[in-house]
């Protein structure tokens, strides 16, 4: 805050000449009404210096003003004065150090200039250009009689505001649309293409519609066999004279112009067909003067290789959309480029069309340069967490391309990690007492690997692919020590460039806990609650150690058995009994082995055009079903249930549940590098049949750098409980976020945000009313966090620091939840990579 006060007190016109005015504000009036939309402001050549939101201080301007414009003369006078050879520190440091000191002062001054922003002063020429831009904008949108003017409103001798005044007049509307098409073949094609025309009689004239119609027709005609067609052949003539605010439009499409060295010929356009498709599988530089030695003709494709072909013919032709005998379509070349690139088998594919003048056909030559068959990668990592003081990780992988001659990619990777736990350090213990090893095998097939033909349902232009993977990991001295085995068969396809579909047809996960006896050693908060209750009742000394604490695990487990046994004689209160029961249920759930066999479908649609687009929306929907097939088989086969009333496989009860998630994100580009973004998320997982609860790995949690940033991960909820568990999770989640992002200076950005949400238990074996979502009244337990953040944009990623404050904490009693811990002492500091959503 002191920095803002200091900057506010600085003189903003320090570097503004006496005969100039610092631009303080722009206001645009359209027909005498204020209209400062981003669309109009973007047309102005001059904009005021950027200001920090909330405080309204031009930080970058003040930083620029700190720089000295005549730094060289100042430094020379101070440090290189020939009349004073003992200037400055010359008597105390070496000449080299002295020069370095001078250069550091100069470099700092340069940094101030680059980081800051020079004052924006009113320039009459740029003001006139701005007015012209505004007039042109309205002219292009149908107001042909629009006029623009401006006025400079001085605030004082060195500050002024700009006002722009637009008078639009009445708009013009589209009327008759006539055509003058020279080539008969185009005239015939246009009869069907005009149904989707963007030029509609009765709509207000917009020049953008002419541009878009021109692009649409060019695309359609180039996909209808017109190889030589280009946008330049389409022009429009509009007539507004004596039409009573109507626009009569002539669409003109010329004949093809063929330019020779000394002459030009005009010819009607013709439709071209594909005569031959030639695929050269190894177009490397070393083969440039060689003749292909292996030729394969497969379904009309000619495949040439230097030596025996390394690829199955079908694997290559599946990626080619250009087919012999078809008419020329530009989109087929685009799709072929994309598919070949997605194979990750070739680099820089090149598609060339050769015209055959005598018969209006094209020969297509496709040149492929294979990537290296083998690829290696190796990574190291140093980490630290609340479990280990230091950890060292090593991972590596081997990538094999075209492993089965069908452009498949096989990846074999492994990881190994060692670490030192916080409890290590005793004399007889080794320093690195934590280990983790794992391996993964993944095969990617560039088509749908399925027994039935799926081309009609999912055609190849959707770039379908299959991924088959298997993995295994083993951990020691991490939590309960686990072995995890996973297997997956999934399909991906892209109906268009905005939609991604993923179907996990088969996903199996088996988690085996190797050290369940260490449960209370890991979940210390549960142990402390249980130990406190046990000490109050102190019934069996065999349960306790010499320090009077429950022995892990025997004493803790025995006390739970006694506490939940009505005939044990323990006189526990209702709250104590509820606490012990909850601890027991949680222990059983987190220590049991998990077998999850599921199928899921994931749908993602984004309207984002490119990475620079900040005005878009994205929706993600995911649904998952687990255990249904196994349950049906178990019933049909007459399998007996275990002692807990559940079906199992090899002694492990499999999970059965349904899970659904919807995630929606919307961005609004506010201009001036400012973006407002919102996110809403709903997730629910319902156990049934063979399960009373959701496996820990499939449940939801709240808090963390990408969730409610006022709480740490797993520390929020469930519901209104003030839980002391290390990892809080549940099977129903609501989350909402809103964030205002803005540029401070250079690559540094700021943000203000509000996060809201919580997790609850529904339709499972948790009955605590504080943790369950009963009806809409439970929405009063939604936690609200707010705060601010700083981000640095490295172009390829964003480094983020967010500070979250608990604004509404449902763990407090109603009426006492707002701003209870709203201070820096209770704030949560989040460091993340890229934006939270």
């Amino acid at each position: 805050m002191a920095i803002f006060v200091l900057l506010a007190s600085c003189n903003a016109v320090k570097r503004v000449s006496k005969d100039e005015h610092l631009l303080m504000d722009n206001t645009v009036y359209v027909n005498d009404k204020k209209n400062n939309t981003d669309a109009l402001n973007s047309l102005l050549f001059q904009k005021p210096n950027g200001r920090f939101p909330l405080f309204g201080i031009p930080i970058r301007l003040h930083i620029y003003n700190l720089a000295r414009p005549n730094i060289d003369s100042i430094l020379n006078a101070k440090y290189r004065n020939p009349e004073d050879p003992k200037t400055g520190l010359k008597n105390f440091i070496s000449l080299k150090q002295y020069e370095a000191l001078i250069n550091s002062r100069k470099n700092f001054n340069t940094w101030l200039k680059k980081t800051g922003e020079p004052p924006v002063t009113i320039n009459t020429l740029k003001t006139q250009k701005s007015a012209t831009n505004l007039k042109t904008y309205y002219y292009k949108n149908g107001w042909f009689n629009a006029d623009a003017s401006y006025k400079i409103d001085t605030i004082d001798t060195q500050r002024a505001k700009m006002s722009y005044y637009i008078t639009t007049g009445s708009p013009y509307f589209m009327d008759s649309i006539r055509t003058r098409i020279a080539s008969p073949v185009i005239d015939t094609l246009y009869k069907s293409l005009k149904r989707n025309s963007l030029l509609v009689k009765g709509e207000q004239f917009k020049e953008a519609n002419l541009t878009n119609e021109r692009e649409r027709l060019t695309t359609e005609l180039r996909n209808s066999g017109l190889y030589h067609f280009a946008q330049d052949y389409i022009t429009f003539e509009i007539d507004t004279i004596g039409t009573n605010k109507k626009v009569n439009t002539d669409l003109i499409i010329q004949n093809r112009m063929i330019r020779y060295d000394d002459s030009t010929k005009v010819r009607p356009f013709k439709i071209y067909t594909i005569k031959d498709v030639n695929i050269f599988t190894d177009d490397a530089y070393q083969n440039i003067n060689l003749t292909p030695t292996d030729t394969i003709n497969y379904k009309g494709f000619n495949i040439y290789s230097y030596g025996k072909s390394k690829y199955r013919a079908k694997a290559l032709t599946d990626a080619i959309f250009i087919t012999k005998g078809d008419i020329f379509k530009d989109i087929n070349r685009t799709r072929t480029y994309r598919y070949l690139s997605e194979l990750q088998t070739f680099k820089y594919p090149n598609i060339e069309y050769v015209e055959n003048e005598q018969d209006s056909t094209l020969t297509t030559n496709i040149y492929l340069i294979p990537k290296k068959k083998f690829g290696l990668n190796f990574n190291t990592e140093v980490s630290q967490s609340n479990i280990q003081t230091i950890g060292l990780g090593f991972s590596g992988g081997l990538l094999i391309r075209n492993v089965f001659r069908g452009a498949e990619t096989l990846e074999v990777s492994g990881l190994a990690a060692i670490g030192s736990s916080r409890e290590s350090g005793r004399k007889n213990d080794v320093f690195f007492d934590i280990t983790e090893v794992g391996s993964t095998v993944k095969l990617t097939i560039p088509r749908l690997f399925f027994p039935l033909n799926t081309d009609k349902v999912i055609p190849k232009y959707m770039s379908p692919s299959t991924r088959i993977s298997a993995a295994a990991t083993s951990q020691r001295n991490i939590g309960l020590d686990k072995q995890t085995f996973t297997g997956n068969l999934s399909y991906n396809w892209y109906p268009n460039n905005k939609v991604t579909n993923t179907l996990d047809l088969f996903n199996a996960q088996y988690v085996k806990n190797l050290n369940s006896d260490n449960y209370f050693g890991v979940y210390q908060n549960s142990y402390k609650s249980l130990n406190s209750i046990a000490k109050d009742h102190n019934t069996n000394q065999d349960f306790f150690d010499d320090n009077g604490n429950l022995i892990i695990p025997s004493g803790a487990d025995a006390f739970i058995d006694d506490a939940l046994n009505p005939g044990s004689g323990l006189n526990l209160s209702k709250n104590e009994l509820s606490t012990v029961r909850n601890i027991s249920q949680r222990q059983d759930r987190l220590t049991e082995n998990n077998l999850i066999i599921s199928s899921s479908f994931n749908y993602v649609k984004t309207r984002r055009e490119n990475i620079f687009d900040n005005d878009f929306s994205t929706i993600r929907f995911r649904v998952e079903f687990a255990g249904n097939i196994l349950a049906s088989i178990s019933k049909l086969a007459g399998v007996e249930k275990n002692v807990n009333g559940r079906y199992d496989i090899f002694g492990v009860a499999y999970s059965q549940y349904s899970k659904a998630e919807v995630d929606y994100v919307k961005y609004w580009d506010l201009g001036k590098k400012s973006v407002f973004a919102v996110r809403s998320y709903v997730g629910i997982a319902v156990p049934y049949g063979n399960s009373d609860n959701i496996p820990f790995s499939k449940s939801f949690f709240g808090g963390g750098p990408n969730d409610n940033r006022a709480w740490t991960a797993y520390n929020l909820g469930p519901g209104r409980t003030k839980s002391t568990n290390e990892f809080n999770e549940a099977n129903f989640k609501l989350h909402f976020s809103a964030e205002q992002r803005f540029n401070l200076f250079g690559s540094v950005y700021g943000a203000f945000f509000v996060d809201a949400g919580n997790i609850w238990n529904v339709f499972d074996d948790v009955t605590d009313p504080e943790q369950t979502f009963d009806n809409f009244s439970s929405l009063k337990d939604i936690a609200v966090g707010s705060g601010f953040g700083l981000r640095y944009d490295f172009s390829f990623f964003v480094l983020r620091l967010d500070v979250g404050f608990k604004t509404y904490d449902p763990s407090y009693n109603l009426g006492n939840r707002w701003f209870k811990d709203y201070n820096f002492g209770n704030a949560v500091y989040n460091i993340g990579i890229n934006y939270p959503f």
Side-chain angles (χ1 to χ4, degrees), residues 645-659:
R646 302 175 66 184
Y647 295 113
D648 58 33
I649 298 178
F650 303 117
V652 180
Y654 54 83
S655 298
Q656 188 175 6
Y657 60 86
S658 297
K659 184 177 182 180

Side-chain angles (χ1 to χ4, degrees), residues 679-684 699-704 707-709 711-712 714-723 728-737 755-762 769-773 777-785 808-812 817:
R679 180 196 181 198
S680 57
Y681 173 91
V682 180
I684 186 170
S699 58
F700 304 104
F701 69 91
D707 198 79
N708 198 322
R709 286 161 278 186
W711 279 262
T712 57
Y714 291 97
N715 197 40
L716 174 62
R720 58 182 178 272
T721 57
K722 195 175 184 66
S723 177
N728 297 296
E729 40 76 41
N731 65 325
F732 176 55
K733 178 176 180 177
L734 294 175
H735 175 77
F736 310 94
S737 283
D755 301 323
N758 207 335
I759 57 174
W760 294 267
N761 289 91
V762 292
E770 292 189 344
Q771 301 183 41
T772 57
F773 190 96
S777 64
S778 297
L779 295 177
K780 66 180 179 297
D781 296 331
I782 287 181
V784 179
Y808 179 87
D809 190 344
S811 66
Y812 287 95
R817 295 179 173 181

Side-chain angles (χ1 to χ4, degrees), residues 214-226:
R214 191 176 180 225
E215 292 177 355
R216 185 188 74 87
L217 287 175
T218 301
T219 299
E220 293 287 354
L221 292 173
R222 284 188 60 81
N223 288 329
S224 301
L226 302 186

Side-chain angles (χ1 to χ4, degrees), residues 279-282 291-296 303-310:
I279 305 171
F280 298 86
T281 63
D282 192 353
T291 301
T293 58
D294 187 12
T295 303
I296 300 173
I303 303 172
Y304 300 97
S305 304
Y306 302 92
K308 185 174 176 58
S309 177
K310 300 176 183 178

Side-chain angles (χ1 to χ4, degrees), residues 408-655:
E408 305 91 352
T409 302
L410 179 66
E411 297 178 65
V412 181
S413 59
L415 65 90
I418 56 175
S420 176
S421 69
R422 295 188 178 278
E423 284 73 28
S424 68
R426 295 187 291 269
K427 286 185 178 181
N428 297 327
D429 288 348
V430 294
F431 181 73
F432 288 110
D433 59 336
I434 292 176
T435 61
E436 181 178 6
V437 294
S439 63
T440 302
V441 179
K442 181 171 65 177
L443 177 66
T444 302
I445 304 172
R447 53 196 167 276
L448 292 188
F449 185 70
F450 198 75
L452 302 178
N453 190 335
T454 59
D455 289 347
K456 292 184 178 180
V457 180
I458 305 176
K460 69 178 186 178
Y461 76 81
M462 294 184 182
S463 300
S465 64
T466 303
R467 180 171 296 174
I468 305 171
S469 65
T473 59
S474 179
Q475 300 173 339
R476 186 175 68 87
N477 284 353
I478 303 177
L480 303 180
D481 296 352
K482 292 183 179 181
Q483 288 180 341
T484 304
F485 304 91
T486 60
N488 180 258
L489 170 62
S490 66
Y491 303 109
N492 292 273
W493 67 96
Y494 309 89
N496 55 59
N497 59 359
K498 297 183 184 301
V499 175
T500 301
N501 291 327
T502 301
L503 172 64
D504 280 352
L505 186 64
F506 175 82
N507 193 321
Q509 181 183 56
Y510 172 59
V511 180
K512 181 180 181 181
N513 295 303
L514 304 177
N515 190 14
S516 298
D517 288 345
N518 192 37
Y519 176 81
F520 287 112
V522 174
Y523 297 94
Q524 285 286 313
N525 289 335
S526 294
Y527 172 75
K528 290 175 182 177
S529 297
L530 186 68
N531 192 43
S532 176
I533 295 173
K535 283 183 175 182
D536 289 342
H537 295 273
N538 200 13
T539 57
N540 192 330
Q541 293 301 317
D542 292 338
F543 297 171
F544 299 88
D545 59 20
D546 294 339
N547 296 319
N549 296 314
L550 285 172
I551 299 171
I552 298 175
S554 59
D557 291 341
F559 178 75
I560 290 176
D561 290 341
D562 276 3
L564 299 181
N565 182 6
S568 65
L570 287 178
N571 189 23
L572 271 64
S573 68
K574 183 178 180 180
N575 287 338
E576 289 175 329
L577 184 60
S578 176
T579 300
V580 174
R581 183 178 292 109
N582 288 337
I583 291 173
S584 177
Q585 289 176 342
R586 184 174 172 84
Q587 179 189 15
D588 292 341
R589 179 164 170 247
L590 297 185
T591 57
E592 71 174 356
N593 298 330
N594 292 130
L595 176 61
I596 305 170
I597 299 179
S598 65
S599 299
S600 65
F601 177 73
N602 193 69
Y603 171 89
V604 179
K605 182 176 182 178
T606 178
R607 298 186 181 276
R608 193 171 197 178
E609 298 294 336
N610 51 62
I611 60 173
F612 304 105
D613 183 9
N614 282 321
D615 201 315
F616 67 95
S617 63
T618 298
I619 186 167
R620 181 179 70 88
F621 171 76
R622 186 175 187 275
V623 61
E624 179 181 1
F625 300 96
N628 294 337
I629 295 177
L630 292 177
S632 299
I633 295 174
S634 298
K635 291 178 182 178
L636 292 174
V639 176
E640 293 186 2
K641 296 183 178 181
N642 60 23
V643 294
N644 296 318
R646 302 175 66 184
Y647 295 113
D648 58 33
I649 298 178
F650 303 117
V652 180
Y654 54 83
S655 298

